[in-house]
Amino acid sequence: MSKHEVQVRRVYDAPAPSDGTRVLVDRLWPRGLSKDKAELDDWCKQVSPSTELRKWYAHDPDKFEEFAERYRAELDDPERAEALDGLREHAATGTLTLLTAAKRDDISEATVLAEILTAH
């Protein structure tokens, strides 16, 4: 299996030709964004963090390291693990862009997922 690029972008940013497969990884649909404008190939909400973890984290940069650790543990859950395998399949076929509505995509679950997907 060849290694392809996995990148993280905000779902509100305009799609780019270099995006490859575009997958939203948030549990909730982004506010004010139509499905047409999002131009998604997939919506993988099963891989997103639990509601409890998401609310605890609240995208506080000071909590990111602990969030990432807790989120990685949640990814062992069978439903999330299966969804993560689906992302691995997307990544194996070409460039994969993980999309999030987070204001800072660099401290989002998409960033944690990209790290996992590029580490293997």
Side-chain angles (χ1 to χ4, degrees):
M1 174 170 72
S2 64
K3 217 160 199 174
H4 295 282
E5 183 179 7
V6 177
Q7 56 191 6
V8 175
R9 296 190 61 215
R10 291 193 72 227
V11 71
Y12 296 108
D13 295 339
S18 61
D19 283 351
T21 303
R22 293 171 50 84
V23 180
L24 178 65
V25 293
D26 292 348
R27 182 165 302 276
L28 304 174
W29 186 261
R31 289 185 188 177
L33 186 68
S34 71
K35 292 197 190 307
D36 286 343
K37 191 171 182 188
E39 294 187 33
L40 298 180
D41 294 298
D42 198 0
W43 180 14
C44 190
K45 55 186 162 184
Q46 300 84 355
V47 79
S48 65
S50 66
T51 300
E52 297 79 17
L53 181 57
R54 187 174 47 81
K55 287 182 176 180
W56 168 82
Y57 175 45
H59 285 88
D60 177 347
D62 294 334
K63 293 181 178 178
F64 180 69
E65 282 189 39
E66 187 174 349
F67 163 77
E69 188 176 312
R70 290 184 185 188
Y71 180 42
R72 285 173 185 269
E74 284 190 352
L75 290 169
D76 289 336
D77 168 78
E79 183 181 16
R80 285 188 182 91
E82 185 177 332
L84 183 57
D85 286 342
L87 291 178
R88 282 189 179 101
E89 289 173 19
H90 282 306
T93 63
T95 299
L96 172 62
T97 299
L98 302 175
L99 300 166
T100 180
K103 287 184 176 124
R104 286 194 50 194
D105 59 21
D106 63 319
I107 58 168
S108 71
E109 78 273 9
T111 298
V112 177
L113 291 168
E115 290 170 359
I116 292 168
L117 293 169
T118 56
H120 291 90

